[in-house]
């Protein structure tokens, strides 16, 4: 079960901005080094997901998950983790894609899981489909003579 959830957009350099509250709980402060793992669930067609953690907070990896790639990155001064091209390709991420960040783990040992949520769209479903425009209510007029 996720303890906290947030969203971010992948920038042109392949960086993911970590929201400040998630960075606080996962101890992902600017300038610190983090380990990353790209995991995939066996026998499914789901996109792989990314785990970002401090070296002392080793995440729980299910027996149903396979490690696709591993690496070491650093959180920059803007609170971003810039991912390498190989990891972005493995995750099927491109610039302007939305990622969902979730905090997992026990007290004092939290890690962040990043899921690909697809391209960012500026429109909503209501804007694409259109609003239902209701006409004025038609009252039945009755003339009464006294």
């Amino acid at each position: 079960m996720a303890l906290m959830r947030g969203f971010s957009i992948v920038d042109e350099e392949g960086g993911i901005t970590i929201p400040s509250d998630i960075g606080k709980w996962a101890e992902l402060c600017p300038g610190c080094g983090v380990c990353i793992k790209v995991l995939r669930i066996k026998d499914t067609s789901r996109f792989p997901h990314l785990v970002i953690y401090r070296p002392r907070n080793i995440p729980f990896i299910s027996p149903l998950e396979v490690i696709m790639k591993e690496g070491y990155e650093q959180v920059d001064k803007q609170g971003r983790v810039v991912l390498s091209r190989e990891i972005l390709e493995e995750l099927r991420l491109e610039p302007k894609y939305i990622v969902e960040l979730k905090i997992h783990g026990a007290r004092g040992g939290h890690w962040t899981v990043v899921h690909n949520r697809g391209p960012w769209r500026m429109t909503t479903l209501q804007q694409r489909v259109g609003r239902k425009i209701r006409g004025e209510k038609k009252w039945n007029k009755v003339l009464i003579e006294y």
Side-chain angles (χ1 to χ4, degrees), residues 83-143:
L83 303 174
S84 66
R85 195 83 219 137
E86 297 88 28
I87 291 177
L88 288 172
E89 288 174 2
E90 193 70 42
L91 291 170
R92 300 179 192 166
L93 282 176
E94 295 178 18
K96 305 282 183 178
Y97 270 42
I98 293 179
V99 292
E100 180 181 18
L101 296 98
K102 293 181 180 180
I103 294 284
H104 291 274
R107 184 179 211 176
H110 301 297
W111 62 87
T112 307
V113 179
V114 180
H115 293 278
N116 181 355
R117 293 297 178 226
W120 178 67
R121 292 180 182 90
M122 212 166 121
T123 61
T124 63
L125 179 62
Q126 187 179 28
Q127 289 170 332
R128 280 185 267 150
V129 173
R131 294 183 340 158
K132 291 181 181 177
I133 299 174
R134 295 185 177 141
E136 295 180 20
K137 285 191 171 184
K138 296 181 180 178
W139 295 90
N140 293 332
K141 295 181 181 178
V142 178
L143 294 174

Side-chain angles (χ1 to χ4, degrees), residues 8-9 11-18 28-32 34 73-83:
S8 183
I9 297 176
D11 61 12
E12 297 297 326
E13 300 171 4
I16 297 173
T17 303
I18 298 171
L28 302 176
C29 54
C32 71
V34 293
E73 298 290 340
Q74 191 167 7
V75 180
D76 64 5
K77 292 183 180 180
Q78 291 88 19
R80 298 180 315 151
V81 176
V82 180
L83 303 174

Side-chain angles (χ1 to χ4, degrees), residues 1-74:
M1 182 173 98
L3 303 173
M4 190 180 301
R5 182 174 81 155
F7 294 91
S8 183
I9 297 176
V10 179
D11 61 12
E12 297 297 326
E13 300 171 4
I16 297 173
T17 303
I18 298 171
S20 60
D21 52 351
I22 289 178
K24 175 184 160 190
W25 279 95
E27 299 175 5
L28 302 176
C29 54
C32 71
V34 293
C35 297
I36 56 174
K37 290 184 182 186
V38 178
L39 302 173
R40 184 178 187 97
I41 300 174
K42 293 180 187 177
D43 299 328
T44 64
S45 61
R46 290 185 181 181
F47 283 175
H49 56 277
L50 179 71
V51 178
I52 302 173
Y53 62 97
R54 295 287 301 264
R56 66 171 188 251
N57 299 341
I58 298 173
F60 170 75
I61 297 174
S62 168
L64 298 175
E65 294 176 319
V66 177
I67 299 173
M68 305 296 283
K69 289 202 181 290
E70 292 182 292
Y72 184 80
E73 298 290 340
Q74 191 167 7

